Amino acid sequence: MTKKVLFCATMDYHFKAFHLPYMSWFKDQGWEVHVAANGQIELPHVDAKFDIPFERSPFKWQNRNVFNRLKSIINANDYDIIHCHTPMGGVLARLAARKARKQGTKVLYTAHGFHFCKGGPLINWLLYYPIEKWLSHYTDCLITINEEDYRLAVNHRFKAKRIDHVHGVGVNTERFKPWTEDEKREARNMLGYAADDVLMFYAAEFNKNKNQQYLIQALALIQHEAPHAKLLLAGEGPLKEGCRDLAARLGIADKVDFLGYRTDIDKLLPMCDIAVASSAREGLPVNIMEAMACGLPVIASDNRGHRELVRNDLNGWIVAANEVNIMAERIITLVRSKPMQRKLGMAGRQMIEADYSIRKVLDEKRKIYSLFMEEKAEVLWAIQ
C-alpha cells in the first residue's frame, strides 16, 4: 500500500512559498502527498488537496467545524506522517490526529517562531506557552527553526518525543544570488533608479509587528547626509497608507517607494545595496535570508530571528528596538562605503550557502523524516 503524508497549515500559500521542495522529495520516495489548508492555489507534487476554512484566531468558533472536518479527513486516509505548520494548523491538526497517533501515525509540528519568547509580552506567555506545552504531548517531533526556540522547548521540558532544530525553510541560492555591476545597472535603468542611488530593501506585510515606520523615520534623519538613499518597501497591509502619510509628513515621499505585493523579489533584491528590517518579532525571517543570499549587508532590529542570522561587523548589524538614531547611523556607514557593503554582503552569502540553502535544509529534514517513515508499520504489527 502506498504510504501517505499530510501537510497541514492555515493557508495554502504557506506551502507554495516554503515547502514545495519537501513535498517533491516525498513524491520521489514514492509517497502520496496530501494538503489541508485554506485556499484555492493549485500546488505541484500534491495528490489530494482539502480546502479547509481555518481561522487564524484561536477564539473563532468556526475552527470547531474545521477541527471536525480535519479529524474526518485524517481518520479516513490512514496517514503515515502528518506534518503541521502555522499556529492554528498546528493546534487543530495535533488535536484531530490523537486517534490516528494511537494507530501509529506520526505527527510532526514545525514552530515557525513561538509567540512567546525571551523578552516577549507577558500576555503571550500566559496565553500561548501553556497551549504549546500541552500540545507537545501529542507531538512525535517538534521542529524549531531557531536556536532560541530550540533551547526554550528543551529547557522547559516540552513533552514531544523528539525536539529538533533545522535552519529554517531553505533558500534557493540559484534563484537568489548576487548580480554583477552591469546587471544591477541595467535593472535600475529599467525601473528608473540612478546608478548612484543607494537602494535599501524591505519586504514585509504592513502591520504593527513589521514596523516600517521605524525605517521611514531613520531615513528622514539622514536625508540631507545621504541624499541618494532610497527605501523600497514591498508588501501590502492595513498600515501601508499610514506609512505613506508618514513619509510625506517627514518630507521624504520621493525617497520611499511603495512597491505593493510582489512575486519578483528575486529580481528586486540583487539590484539593491542594503537590506533593512524593523520587525519586533521573527522566527527565522525568509526575507533576510533571501537578501543575504543576494549578497546584501543587513541592518536589522533586535529580535531572536534577526540575531540568528545577523552577526555584528560580519554580515551587518543588529540595532536595539526603536533606536532610530542608531539605525540611521548604521545606514550612513554603509551608504558611504561600497567596499564595506561588498565585504559584509559576501559574508552573508557564504553563511546562507553553508547553513541555510534548500539543499542543506532538505538534508536536515530528510534525516528527521527518515526516522518516522517506517514506524507506523512497526506500531500496527505490535498492536496486532
Side-chain angles (χ1 to χ4, degrees):
M1 181 179 295
T2 302
K3 293 181 178 291
K4 297 180 185 178
V5 59
L6 173 68
F7 287 90
C8 182
T10 308
M11 299 297 298
D12 57 4
Y13 63 73
H14 180 85
F15 294 118
K16 182 178 181 180
F18 304 127
H19 299 290
L20 296 183
Y22 313 108
M23 294 176 175
S24 176
W25 181 80
F26 268 103
K27 292 295 294 181
D28 290 343
Q29 311 312 306
W31 281 52
E32 195 171 308
V33 176
H34 294 194
V35 167
N38 192 354
Q40 302 288 328
I41 295 175
E42 188 172 326
L43 297 170
H45 320 304
V46 171
D47 298 286
K49 185 170 182 287
F50 305 99
D51 182 9
I52 301 180
F54 283 94
E55 293 283 352
R56 290 184 176 180
S57 170
F59 306 109
K60 295 285 188 178
W61 278 104
Q62 294 92 319
N63 278 326
R64 184 173 182 176
N65 295 329
V66 169
F67 165 78
N68 289 329
R69 186 174 176 203
L70 193 56
K71 184 178 178 181
S72 297
I73 291 168
I74 290 172
N75 291 340
N77 281 282
D78 193 28
Y79 294 110
D80 296 272
I81 292 176
I82 297 172
H83 193 170
C84 46
H85 302 263
T86 68
M88 285 311 300
V91 169
L92 296 177
R94 283 183 285 178
L95 291 177
R98 285 176 294 178
K99 178 181 176 181
R101 284 187 75 233
K102 294 178 181 179
Q103 302 299 316
T105 298
K106 300 303 174 182
V107 177
L108 286 62
Y109 170 58
T110 296
H112 293 267
F114 289 134
H115 280 279
F116 52 93
C117 56
K118 182 180 178 181
L122 177 61
I123 185 64
N124 285 17
W125 280 89
L126 293 175
L127 179 61
Y128 295 108
Y129 171 74
I131 293 174
E132 285 289 358
K133 188 163 186 179
W134 169 56
L135 287 170
S136 70
H137 288 83
Y138 306 109
T139 310
D140 292 290
C141 185
L142 170 62
I143 302 171
T144 64
I145 63 171
N146 61 62
E147 286 285 354
E148 185 173 310
D149 282 353
Y150 175 77
R151 291 193 300 270
L152 189 155
V154 171
N155 293 339
H156 286 257
R157 299 181 181 178
F158 279 35
K159 300 302 181 181
K161 291 186 177 180
R162 284 185 61 91
I163 302 174
D164 283 292
H165 168 247
V166 301
H167 290 79
V169 296
V171 178
N172 186 333
T173 52
E174 291 301 313
R175 181 183 172 203
F176 292 91
K177 59 185 179 181
W179 282 356
T180 66
E181 290 302 317
D182 286 342
E183 289 172 326
K184 283 188 173 186
R185 190 178 304 109
E186 182 179 352
R188 288 176 178 227
N189 286 339
M190 290 180 62
L191 295 175
Y193 295 109
D196 60 350
D197 283 337
V198 180
L199 303 182
M200 300 180 293
F201 191 86
Y202 184 42
E205 181 182 359
F206 283 83
N207 59 36
K208 183 178 179 181
N209 177 54
K210 301 303 183 182
N211 194 24
Q212 285 91 342
Q213 298 93 326
Y214 177 51
L215 301 175
I216 295 170
Q217 291 165 351
L219 179 59
L221 291 177
I222 62 170
Q223 59 179 306
H224 301 299
E225 295 177 85
H228 297 292
K230 293 186 175 180
L231 177 62
L232 281 58
L233 298 174
E236 295 289 348
L239 301 186
K240 179 180 176 181
E241 291 308 313
C243 287
R244 195 190 299 273
D245 292 341
L246 176 62
R249 290 199 307 272
L250 295 175
I252 56 170
D254 60 329
K255 299 180 183 296
V256 183
D257 287 347
F258 294 86
L259 305 180
Y261 176 76
R262 304 298 292 248
T263 58
D264 59 345
I265 300 298
D266 57 323
K267 301 297 189 297
L268 296 172
L269 269 172
M271 75 171 188
C272 294
D273 303 290
I274 302 167
V276 290
S278 51
S279 51
R281 185 188 72 254
E282 292 289 353
L284 195 73
V286 173
N287 59 349
I288 296 299
M289 291 189 284
E290 291 174 346
M292 291 168 60
C294 291
L296 271 62
V298 182
I299 311 174
S301 55
D302 188 9
N303 64 53
R304 66 189 157 169
H306 291 163
R307 288 193 299 269
E308 186 104 350
L309 294 169
V310 182
R311 309 283 191 272
N312 285 332
D313 299 317
L314 176 63
N315 67 313
W317 296 288
I318 294 293
V319 179
N322 297 320
E323 290 284 357
V324 178
N325 290 330
I326 303 299
M327 173 65 77
E329 290 173 9
R330 293 302 192 188
I331 292 173
I332 281 289
T333 299
L334 284 183
V335 166
R336 291 174 174 171
S337 178
K338 280 283 187 183
M340 183 172 287
Q341 290 177 27
R342 287 192 288 269
K343 176 186 174 183
L344 299 182
M346 293 316 298
R349 169 72 184 185
Q350 291 168 4
M351 288 173 60
I352 295 298
E353 290 180 316
D355 293 321
Y356 299 95
S357 68
I358 285 178
R359 175 191 55 78
K360 171 70 174 180
V361 177
L362 178 57
D363 187 54
E364 293 175 339
K365 286 191 174 181
R366 177 187 59 78
K367 292 175 182 177
I368 294 172
Y369 287 139
S370 296
L371 293 172
F372 299 101
M373 292 179 85
E374 302 298 330
E375 288 196 7
K376 183 172 185 180
E378 296 174 4
V379 170
L380 290 175
W381 181 85
I383 292 173
Q384 294 167 357

